[in-house]
């Protein structure tokens, strides 16, 4: 059965590439009908229909197909979503970004829209390629959008290239683009993981002054960073800072600091903070002991 499906995908990919390339509506209808009848498309047939849609500028249908892919799990698709990303990048590297740049943007947009941008797009070992494609776009004079900037910042952070990531933030500012809270948190979280929580906090304050999006989780990663560095006084000051700026600490922020005090044996301090948290109607998710 697997052999038959593989052979069917090969035939379909050739059909889309040759006979149906000049008939995009017919090609798309044929592609959809097969899927509805239970045919499992593989990466080759998806790439074939993506090339047709890009060639004819059918952006809405392209967005719809990619969003459908990313909403499915790998088992249902019959291939890993990262394999489609890999095939797309290989095509761009071989033929140049003009051919599939619309698909690349649609791919990143789809990841962001379903909230899986963090977990599925840049997997281990593929950070260098994502960064290389970004710079290839730049060298050809193409203007990255917000999504493309986000993906390269994520890749640079995972590589530990924080200075380069900072340069990308600066470039975004000059281009009049504003990074989202997720991208900001990714950068600050990496700073804190490298025992640079003091600098992470300074970055947070600087962005806050510029009205750049900062959410509760961004404060949490700095608090955790201070706790991991045994800078509990600084972590506690973060809670006060949040209160001064109208940001309500959640249970995770408070519990991280409470656990830090418990770890060094300051039980009374931990209990006092727990009681203060309870007075503000912030419920801890677990007992502090």
């Amino acid at each position: 059965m697997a052999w038959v499906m593989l052979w069917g995908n090969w035939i379909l990919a050739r059909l889309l590439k040759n006979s149906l390339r000049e008939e995009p509506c017919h090609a798309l209808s044929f592609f959809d009908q097969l899927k509805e009848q239970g045919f499992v498309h593989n990466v080759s047939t998806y790439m074939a229909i993506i090339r047709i849609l890009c060639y004819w500028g059918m952006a809405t249908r392209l967005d719809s197909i990619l969003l459908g892919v990313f909403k499915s799990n790998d088992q249902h698709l019959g291939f890993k979503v990262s394999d489609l990303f890999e095939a797309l990048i290989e095509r761009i590297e071989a033929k140049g970004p003009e051919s599939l740049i619309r698909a690349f943007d649609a791919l990143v947009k789809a990841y962001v829209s379903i909230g899986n941008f963090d977990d599925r797009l840049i997997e281990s070992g593929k950070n260098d390629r994502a960064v290389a494609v970004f710079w290839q776009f730049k060298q050809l004079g193409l203007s990255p959008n917000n999504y493309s900037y986000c993906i390269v910042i994520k890749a640079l952070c995972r590589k530990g290239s924080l200075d380069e990531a900072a340069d990308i933030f600066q470039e975004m500012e000059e281009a009049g683009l504003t990074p989202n809270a997720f991208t900001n948190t990714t950068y600050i979280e990496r700073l804190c993981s490298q025992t640079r929580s003091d600098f992470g906090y300074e970055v947070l304050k600087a962005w806050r002054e510029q009205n750049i999006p900062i959410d509760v989780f961004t404060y949490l990663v700095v608090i955790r960073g201070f706790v991991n560095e045994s800078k509990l006084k600084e972590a506690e000051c973060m809670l006060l800072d949040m209160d001064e700026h109208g940001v309500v600490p959640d249970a995770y922020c408070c519990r991280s600091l409470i656990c830090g005090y418990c770890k060094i044996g300051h039980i009374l301090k931990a209990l006092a903070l727990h009681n203060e948290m309870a007075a503000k109607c912030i419920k801890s998710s677990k007992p502090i002991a």
Side-chain angles (χ1 to χ4, degrees):
M1 184 65 181
W3 182 85
V4 173
M5 191 65 70
L6 182 63
W7 180 249
N9 271 288
W10 184 84
I11 294 175
L12 178 58
R14 298 290 297 178
L15 183 64
L16 290 170
K17 181 179 180 181
N18 299 317
S19 303
L20 296 178
R21 182 179 179 182
E22 301 301 319
E23 302 178 56
C25 293
H26 187 192
L28 187 58
S29 176
F30 187 41
F31 182 91
D32 289 339
Q33 287 178 20
L34 286 175
K35 185 177 179 181
E36 290 172 1
Q37 293 172 11
F39 184 83
V40 181
H41 294 290
N42 65 8
V43 172
S44 297
T45 55
Y46 268 102
M47 283 296 296
I49 196 66
I50 285 171
R51 287 196 295 271
I52 290 174
L53 295 176
C54 285
Y55 180 79
W56 289 99
M58 300 173 69
T60 301
R61 299 308 302 270
L62 176 62
D63 288 345
S64 177
I65 281 185
L66 289 177
L67 187 58
V69 169
F70 303 141
K71 283 184 176 179
S72 303
N73 55 48
D74 293 343
Q75 184 177 3
H76 177 73
L77 287 170
F79 60 87
K80 292 183 179 180
V81 177
S82 58
D83 291 338
L84 181 60
F85 175 68
E86 189 80 0
L88 182 59
I89 295 301
E90 288 177 358
R91 174 79 180 184
I92 290 173
E93 289 179 338
K95 301 295 183 179
E98 296 93 338
S99 59
L100 293 179
I101 186 171
R102 179 65 187 83
F104 182 79
D105 281 343
L107 178 147
V108 178
K109 182 180 180 180
Y111 269 108
V112 174
S113 68
I114 62 174
N116 284 337
F117 183 72
D118 182 39
D119 299 325
R120 300 176 69 189
L121 186 52
I122 305 176
E123 296 183 350
S124 177
K126 298 179 182 177
N127 301 311
D128 289 334
R129 173 163 286 183
V131 175
V133 170
F134 176 84
W135 289 119
Q136 185 180 12
F137 288 170
K138 294 280 292 179
Q139 289 171 3
L140 291 174
L142 300 172
S143 300
N145 61 15
N146 230 320
Y147 299 112
S148 299
Y149 276 119
C150 287
I151 192 174
V152 78
I153 289 173
K154 177 67 174 178
L156 289 169
C157 286
R158 287 200 172 183
K159 289 177 55 170
S161 303
L162 298 181
D163 290 339
E164 291 182 54
D167 291 339
I168 299 298
F169 276 114
Q170 179 65 33
E171 187 174 316
M172 289 187 73
E173 182 180 350
E174 293 173 356
L177 299 175
T178 302
N180 57 32
F182 173 80
T183 307
N184 296 336
T185 302
T186 298
Y187 178 65
I188 292 177
E189 186 174 25
R190 180 59 66 171
L191 286 172
C192 295
S193 70
Q194 295 186 359
T195 65
R196 300 171 65 186
S197 299
D198 286 314
F199 183 55
Y201 185 28
E202 292 302 318
V203 171
L204 185 155
K205 290 190 294 184
W207 282 344
R208 187 175 60 199
E209 291 175 359
Q210 298 175 44
N211 294 319
I212 292 176
I214 300 293
D215 59 16
V216 174
F217 187 69
T218 311
Y219 285 92
L220 173 59
V221 298
V222 179
I223 290 173
R224 284 177 175 171
F226 280 136
V227 171
N228 290 336
E229 295 173 33
S230 299
K231 297 178 178 178
L232 302 183
K233 182 177 180 181
E234 287 84 347
E236 190 165 356
C237 287
M238 283 287 297
L239 295 179
L240 298 174
D241 188 350
M242 294 174 71
D243 188 58
E244 290 176 1
H245 289 87
V247 181
V248 180
D250 60 16
Y252 296 101
C253 293
C254 299
R255 188 172 185 278
S256 180
L257 182 54
I258 289 172
C259 290
Y261 279 123
C262 288
K263 186 176 180 179
I264 63 173
H266 288 190
I267 305 302
L268 292 179
K269 184 68 174 177
L271 285 171
L273 182 57
H274 178 269
N275 293 335
E276 181 180 347
M277 180 177 67
K280 294 180 179 180
C281 298
I282 302 173
K283 296 181 179 180
S284 58
S285 55
K286 295 180 181 179
I288 63 173

